[in-house]
Amino acid sequence: MTIRNSSVNIMFERCENIKKQYILNNEPLKKNFNEANILPIPDEAPSEIPRIIITTKGEHSQLGIAPEAANFHTKYSGNYLEDWKLCESYINSRLTDVFKFLDTITMQNYKYMGIVANIIWDDIQKDGNKKLFQNLFGREPASNLDDLMVKYTYVEQEKYYVNITLQSVRIFGNTDDSSSGNFTDDNLTAHTVSILLDVNDRYSYNQQKGYYSAKQNFHGLIDLTTEIINNKLKKSIESGVY
């Protein structure tokens, strides 16, 4: 298992004058984040467009802040690639600072939040599409099956959505998209399976009138993400059982 990257997405009630709010309240971010890049985007631009981009001091992660959302995206390297426990610890430490900042500017009016992890299941290195099909459906696929993607959505604790997307993926070496013939079998380094794991509390937001999330929910989300990665992904790939 290789953990490529992760994202924490936090949706909140619209925060007006987001750039000014950042300038006045950014003290909690100074320890672990660099100076922000405040983008010249007008207030009337679509609310999903980030106005502020901040990298962590190690530049492994980027925090994007929009008037109604924040996204903390991390690319992993070294020992983190194979150890979710390290990734979890890192996410928790940086999100402590992020929530201190967001609590101030949003008045803790969080709509919902989620954690997304992008993982390569590199126990499979060859014929990822065929092996995934056989594992999930118990029979040989058609000979011309080129790709396979399956998505499961579960509800956990009557509170969280768990979305698991399994897809066969080919990994090529020294690819050059600008010229033809770069995606041949000769250049294929692995034909494996990717996992996109998305755990969020939007189920509660969809089902409960007046629902608001909270930073305590983030801890529940990351605990559930860890439980799934440690104990459920293997079964999901090998038999489709969650």
Side-chain angles (χ1 to χ4, degrees), residues 221-241:
L221 288 167
I222 200 163
D223 287 347
L224 180 54
T225 299
T226 297
E227 168 67 18
I228 294 167
I229 289 174
N230 289 342
N231 299 315
K232 295 189 176 184
L233 286 188
K234 182 177 175 66
K235 288 194 296 184
S236 294
I237 289 176
E238 292 183 349
S239 62
V241 175

Side-chain angles (χ1 to χ4, degrees), residues 211-223:
Y211 176 82
Y212 277 98
S213 190
K215 59 185 175 183
Q216 290 82 1
N217 285 9
F218 167 75
H219 299 297
L221 288 167
I222 200 163
D223 287 347

Side-chain angles (χ1 to χ4, degrees), residues 154-216:
Y154 303 95
V155 176
E156 280 276 6
Q157 304 170 29
E158 297 185 354
K159 184 174 184 179
Y160 303 121
Y161 279 129
V162 174
N163 300 295
I164 301 175
T165 303
L166 308 177
Q167 183 172 12
S168 59
V169 58
R170 293 174 174 85
I171 300 174
F172 295 89
N174 301 318
T175 57
D176 180 4
D177 292 348
S178 64
S179 59
S180 62
N182 285 289
F183 298 100
T184 64
D185 288 344
D186 290 341
N187 206 23
L188 184 67
T189 60
H191 189 182
T192 183
V193 173
S194 72
I195 306 163
L196 190 66
L197 174 61
D198 175 7
V199 183
N200 61 74
D201 66 343
R202 191 162 185 173
Y203 178 83
S204 295
Y205 181 80
N206 289 347
Q207 297 292 323
Q208 300 177 27
K209 288 186 178 181
Y211 176 82
Y212 277 98
S213 190
K215 59 185 175 183
Q216 290 82 1

Side-chain angles (χ1 to χ4, degrees), residues 138-156:
R139 56 189 175 88
E140 288 282 337
S143 60
N144 61 343
L145 177 69
D146 188 65
D147 190 19
L148 178 64
M149 181 170 66
V150 178
K151 180 180 177 181
Y152 301 93
T153 297
Y154 303 95
V155 176
E156 280 276 6

